[in-house]
Amino acid sequence: MMRLASLLLVLTTFLTTIGCNRTPKPIDPASAQAVKVQLDILQDSVEARWSEMVASDNAKLHDTRQLLRELTTQPGTNRQQLAQLQYANDRLPRRRYTQQSMAESERIDAYDAAQDSLLRAVYTLLPAGQEPTAAIKTLTDQIQVADGELISFRVRYDQAATRFNNYIQVHTAELEQLGSKYANLKPLPLFTLQK
């Protein structure tokens, strides 16, 4: 009886293994389905680059808010000026460009100018002639690092968006076969000014 149970277990395991080890049918690289898969990968890459850039900018805005709070504890600070800067910092996310609105380069320039102006004003409030507190120094360093990384985030986004744009241009016919969601895709605006 024990041998029969063992044989049934081995047979069941063998049949299950055979049934699960089917290799998937390869996708024809020239098919509309393959184009859809590749396009989805490219779109995910674009979204990931955009999300990284926005997350970095959000962290910079958060650190600026924290820095302004820290500055309220410093002797001789102008609380009204700090409140105005806090208000300006809180308004920046609503002024930020989107993936579509950045086609108007003036929106990018306006956002960058507003943020630069805010940061210059905040830096003038840093304690002069004395060592800042550890929190103020850390926050200032984090803001400056995030500010310095902005260009590399934009370059990486442009690289991903350019690959996406080139792909939809080359595979227009296949995308039309996939239906309106894919057939109506438009090229994404880039940070790099086009000639």
Side-chain angles (χ1 to χ4, degrees), residues 8-108:
L8 283 174
L9 182 62
V10 169
L11 184 60
T12 304
T13 305
F14 176 75
L15 291 174
T16 304
T17 306
I18 290 175
C20 293
N21 283 339
R22 284 186 252 153
T23 55
K25 184 178 176 183
I27 298 176
D28 176 12
S31 71
Q33 184 61 30
V35 169
K36 179 187 177 301
V37 169
Q38 183 62 34
L39 185 69
D40 290 344
I41 292 169
L42 292 170
Q43 283 179 315
D44 289 347
S45 178
V46 168
E47 289 305 316
R49 297 291 183 254
W50 184 265
S51 295
E52 289 169 353
M53 183 179 62
V54 170
S56 174
D57 194 52
N58 286 341
K60 182 168 49 171
L61 294 171
H62 178 266
D63 289 342
T64 303
R65 182 179 312 114
Q66 292 299 111
L67 179 58
L68 289 167
R69 285 189 185 135
E70 285 293 324
L71 289 172
T72 61
T73 65
Q74 298 296 305
T77 56
N78 181 338
R79 291 188 184 275
Q80 183 179 0
Q81 185 180 18
L82 287 173
Q84 290 171 344
L85 293 172
Q86 183 63 55
Y87 177 73
N89 188 63
D90 291 344
R91 287 188 51 207
L92 277 175
R94 289 189 296 275
R95 297 181 69 182
R96 186 168 43 210
Y97 45 86
T98 65
Q99 283 177 285
Q100 297 309 315
S101 70
M102 67 182 254
E104 304 164 24
S105 62
E106 300 82 30
R107 291 195 64 157
I108 300 169

Side-chain angles (χ1 to χ4, degrees), residues 113-182:
Q115 193 169 60
D116 289 346
S117 175
L118 170 71
L119 290 177
R120 276 195 306 276
V122 170
Y123 294 151
T124 64
L125 300 177
L126 295 175
Q130 62 184 13
E131 187 66 28
T133 66
I136 290 175
K137 179 159 180 32
T138 300
L139 289 166
T140 304
D141 290 346
Q142 288 173 187
I143 292 166
Q144 290 173 342
V145 165
D147 214 30
E149 291 175 335
L150 178 63
I151 297 298
S152 63
F153 279 119
R154 289 180 177 179
V155 167
R156 288 195 302 266
Y157 174 81
D158 272 4
Q159 290 169 341
T162 299
R163 285 191 294 271
F164 173 83
N165 291 347
N166 291 342
Y167 197 81
I168 64 172
Q169 185 177 8
V170 169
H171 295 282
T172 305
E174 293 90 344
L175 292 170
E176 286 175 359
Q177 292 175 7
L178 292 170
S180 64
K181 176 183 172 189
Y182 293 95

